[in-house]
Amino acid sequence: MLELQLGLTLASNSMQGFDLNCCAGYEPKEVVGLNPLINKAMHQLSPSFSSRSDNGNQVDNKKRSFDDAFENNRAVPRTLPLLLWNNQPHEDDDPKDFYSHPSFAINQNNGDSVVGWPPIKSSRKKHCHQNNRSVENECGYGVIRSSSNYMFVKVKMEGVAIARKIDLTLHHSFLTLKSTLINMFGTCQEDSNCYKLTYQDSEGDWLLAEDIPWRSFVRSVQRLKLLRSTALLI
Amino acid sequence: MLKKMSYSFPEDVLEHVFSFVTTHKDRNAISLVCKSWYEVERWCRRRVFVGNCYAVSPVMVTRRFPEVRSVELKGKPHFADFNLVPEGWGAYVYPWIEIMSTSYPWLEEIRLKRMVVSDESLELISKSFKNFKVLVLSSCEGFSTVGLAAIAANCRNLRELDLRESEVDDLSGHWLSHFPDTYSSLVSLNISCLGSEVSFSALERLVGRCPNLRTLRLNRAVPLDRLASLLRRAPQLVEFGTGAYSAELRLDVLSTLDGAFSSCKELKSLSGFWDMVPAYLPAIYSVCSGLTSLNLSYATIQSPDLIKLVGRCLNLQSLWVLDYIEDSGLEAIAASCKDLQELRVFPSDPFGVEPNVSLTDQGLVSVSEGCPRLHSVLYFCRQMSNAALVAVARNRPNMTRFRLCIIEPRTPDYLTLEPLDVGFGAIVEHCKELRRLSLSGLLTDRVFEYIGTYAKKLEMLSVAFAGNTDLGLHHVMSGCESLRKLEIRDCPFGDKAILANAAKLETMRSLWMSSCSVSFEACKLLGQKMPRLNVEVIDESGPPDSRPQDCPVEKLYIYRTVAGPRFDTPTFVWT
């Protein structure tokens, strides 16, 4: 749960003629006396940053002390934060949770695209589609085989929202392929045994990748999926 | 007594002095000096800019500035361009037109961006303002050609009608014929976004009888073989946009078109060129040396043809092009277009699985080296390296707008497989005048630390698929002194940074966060404690408090306002 410490709101009267265009719309009023808790929290901020940077010296010199930040900087108003930044690591900061959260709202679209990405206006998007309609891929799915040296295939890992793509021409065995994929999704190699590599063939069927020779696999693969072993009925 | 002496300038002297001060920022500053300056200033303010139509109410604006002649309003947040804002969210212009129709009978100019404009609004505009001159609708929607017909028919003094990138319900091209035969004051017409054919003879007659026409941007439906007759009627054109630039090669058509272009001695800007075929390229060669602006972003010609074309445009200042230009084309530009200031490279196949062109980080580095005045960049590509970004930063410390879109989210440096933190860090460190930045690629909290430390003049930041923890967002909100607009999607930022920097939000125009980790609790708290902010939770799947507490909100839009909560909130917006 959120631990909130509400600081004092200093008397900053709204300016007459509130200026919407000026980013420094508030003139700081005289500071009567700051809550010592706030003071302490602010001081905690500076040392914690320097420990994070490799170029420790350079970054430190740029960091403003609390006084510099709040006395001379007109742009930051004196209203105090609703939550004190205490910079303690929290469990809910774990980035992995973010991606497996059920509400992580990415429109899957059969895993083909993310809503509004890449950021292109609709008028332009319409134009792209019209142009590329003539580029029919022979296999009808997600793979474009060309005379150039690429063969990109979509890969999904169970439990991960965003798909990746991998160039199969860079691989010659299931071992290297699987190892690279595990790396791509940020899982450690020890866990790779927990995942099975499956693929969708040109007929739309999902099969276990390691069951056929590499060459046949490359000729018929349309897309890949890494499934957790427990999910398979084998 | 001394006080009285210094402030005894007669008002008309003050007014005269103020008339030389034109930018919105400066006029706003003047009004804060003292009460009498505020009074004088508000009576002589002629142009008003409202960056967020919900930040202030039309009544407040008309009450404070009674003598306005020109109004500019912006509505939806930027991410609405990419379909992230649901239909029906708001930004209706009608309430503004209604108020202004009585308060500003002498209004001359209306400029709108990302607003919903109904046919009724257009009709009201056309009937309310006798001296109406300029209508610019940028990325607007909600109106049809019926509304356009009203404008054409009733605005006797219209100079400018610019529909750039708006979505128009295009019922027919007949609206253009509503310009009366006596009407001849057109200076600028941009109908490039319209789908259907306008009556060509009406267009020809209109162009023919408007001697002051400087800008004409046609829509795709105007065929190539009609261009020459239009150009012949308007050799004084400065800016011209073609329709579809494609036809079977006929030498007579080519030579007529070439002749028509040559007769336009003032031409500085070209655009259009949908479906361009190389065969008709030579028709524009004669005007290339005078061009300062070229928009080829719908032109499907390939690199060798593009190189031939831009090689002749030695005075080019602004170039918009598809990634067909490739690295080789950008190298050619770096060698010939020494005056280039703005470059935008759009993707020809953004949803393709594999790269279809050879456009990489190298192209960007080349132009950064060769074009000393380059300061505004929008670049879509598929690979980037820290080394390239550092080179760009070192080459172009004068960069003011830098928007990089690496098409695949979270792509690392392709050489080292590391995040691109250092590269973007170099950009903000070296480019001290940077006002706008869009990030992409694999990025950790580190990049935000750099941004918070160095990007002191940054006004707008766009972030997607980046960062690790709230610390990232905190760096930006606490460090970027000039920040006005912050838009974030798909980042693991939660409640802490926003709440710790709540005060910062009142110094900014707006904050957008979608697909992040902000809880409804935090939003409610923020809304309660900060009365001068509107905190809008946009969630189409139902009431946010019906879901478990740790479930993040779908979309969050926070903006400062003196108008209080809005009256037109749709059902899917929770405040």
Side-chain angles (χ1 to χ4, degrees), chain B residues 240-377:
Chain B
F240 183 64
T242 73
Y245 203 74
S246 139
E248 264 186 39
L249 178 58
R250 281 175 45 194
L251 292 174
D252 56 332
V253 174
L254 178 59
S255 111
T256 319
L257 190 53
D258 179 27
F261 270 114
S262 319
S263 69
C264 297
K265 306 289 183 201
E266 313 290 326
L267 218 43
K268 293 241 171 321
S269 166
L270 282 181
S271 64
F273 300 117
W274 284 274
D275 316 314
M276 193 178 210
V277 290
Y280 281 96
L281 256 179
I284 59 174
Y285 284 169
S286 60
V287 297
C288 283
S289 59
L291 288 183
T292 56
S293 159
L294 185 53
N295 182 351
L296 295 169
S297 61
Y298 293 103
T300 43
I301 53 175
Q302 306 293 310
S303 188
D305 293 311
L306 281 167
I307 293 177
K308 258 191 263 164
L309 181 55
V310 296
R312 292 162 181 266
C313 301
L314 303 178
N315 288 310
L316 212 53
Q317 293 172 16
S318 164
L319 175 65
W320 292 25
V321 73
L322 284 172
D323 56 10
Y324 292 131
I325 188 96
E326 298 193 331
D327 290 343
S328 52
L330 291 173
E331 262 170 53
I333 288 170
S336 12
C337 305
K338 293 304 185 184
D339 249 357
L340 194 68
Q341 297 175 29
E342 181 192 15
L343 174 68
R344 295 195 192 192
V345 179
F346 296 95
S348 53
D349 183 20
F351 305 106
V353 173
E354 57 170 271
N356 60 326
V357 291
S358 176
L359 179 101
T360 69
D361 48 321
Q362 285 319 300
L364 183 59
V365 174
S366 308
V367 283
S368 76
E369 268 165 16
C371 303
R373 301 181 65 195
L374 184 67
H375 67 87
S376 172
V377 168

Side-chain angles (χ1 to χ4, degrees), chain A residues 20 81 103 115 117 162 165, chain B residues 407-408 410 489 500 551 560:
Chain A
L20 293 172
S103 301
V115 172
W117 190 267
I162 297 186
K165 288 178 199 97
Chain B
I407 291 179
E408 181 68 28
R410 295 197 196 87
R489 62 164 295 172
C551 195
R560 67 180 178 183

